[in-house]
Amino acid sequence: GGGGGMSKEEMLEASEGQMNLAAISKAKSDNPVNAEEKYVGKIYEITGIVDTIESDHVELLAVNSPIENHALSGYSDLVHVDVPLSEEELKELSTKEVINVVGRLSAIDGGYQMDQAYYVDNTVTFTGEVTKFILDESMTNHLMWIDSELNTSAGFNNCRYVYVVEPVTAFENLEEAEIDGVTVKEGDTVTVQGTAVYENMTKSSAGTLVVYTLNFDLNTIASVTKE
């Protein structure tokens, strides 16, 4: 990978965990010199949406990040991080898929950059509530909505994952589904591992309260457990 002198295993062992972009952003606005000293050079993990794939790096939009433009033009309002990866790793990526990386933060002024990094995997893990089962617009697929709030102080925390349970049949029960031997119903809290791609970002408001939600298509479910 792009890890230089450290292996991926060594980076994961030395990682500070998910990079808290909200904290870094605030520290930059308070005192950029202190922020550089505190954060640059440390190793972090990032869960992000693949935005742009270049010859030597990928530009990720961090899922756990604050919104940079409250006018909301789309997912580009999430924080961008440039992550160097090997050619072999870059060839395996697709735009808008969600991936996990680990790397050393090398710059926060003029854009977030890593100078050494590795691709970890494309598995998303989250806990959320099954809010509803619906039919898609074509009336041919049975969709399950899972709404999740990330347990993190990193920033963005409202995510909705939509999963195609199965094609609709004449006697479909639209209030539950069986996934990997587990019967899931509306109102259940579930922990899911799978793969996802970004669909869109929506904004809703009630008075002064504004809620942004990242919407994903959950392509596969490797495991699901009920709380």
Side-chain angles (χ1 to χ4, degrees), residues 58-198:
V58 61
E59 187 172 12
L60 293 184
L61 299 175
V63 173
N64 302 336
S65 71
I67 295 293
E68 293 191 322
N69 173 17
H70 288 274
L72 185 66
S73 61
Y75 78 150
S76 60
D77 295 322
L78 297 172
V79 174
H80 295 232
V81 184
D82 288 338
V83 181
L85 296 176
S86 69
E87 182 179 358
E88 291 74 17
E89 290 172 320
L90 290 167
K91 285 180 178 179
E92 297 299 316
L93 303 181
S94 300
T95 55
K96 296 192 176 181
E97 74 169 316
V98 182
I99 66 171
N100 301 300
V101 300
V102 62
R104 187 176 70 183
L105 185 62
S106 59
I108 61 175
D109 187 21
Y112 293 88
Q113 297 180 17
M114 288 180 162
D115 60 1
Q116 301 176 15
Y118 289 100
Y119 169 84
V120 177
D121 58 37
N122 64 344
T123 300
V124 295
T125 302
F126 64 92
T127 298
E129 179 186 351
V130 179
T131 55
K132 66 170 69 175
F133 287 93
I134 62 172
L135 298 178
D136 67 2
E137 292 181 357
S138 67
M139 305 293 284
T140 57
N141 288 308
H142 184 194
L143 307 179
M144 176 176 65
W145 285 19
I146 307 175
D147 288 341
S148 171
E149 289 192 7
L150 303 173
N151 295 320
T152 174
S153 60
F156 209 99
N157 66 356
N158 295 297
C159 299
R160 173 171 293 149
Y161 297 87
V162 178
Y163 181 64
V164 180
V165 180
E166 57 192 1
V168 172
T169 62
F171 302 101
E172 189 74 62
N173 182 347
L174 292 179
E175 296 181 354
E176 67 177 49
E178 185 172 311
I179 302 171
D180 197 25
V182 179
T183 299
V184 178
K185 300 180 180 181
E186 288 185 7
D188 284 348
T189 297
V190 294
T191 296
V192 175
Q193 286 189 318
T195 60
V197 295
Y198 170 81

Side-chain angles (χ1 to χ4, degrees), residues 21-36:
L21 287 154
I24 298 175
S25 178
K26 184 178 185 308
K28 281 171 56 179
S29 63
D30 290 344
N31 188 319
V33 176
N34 288 340
E36 287 233 5

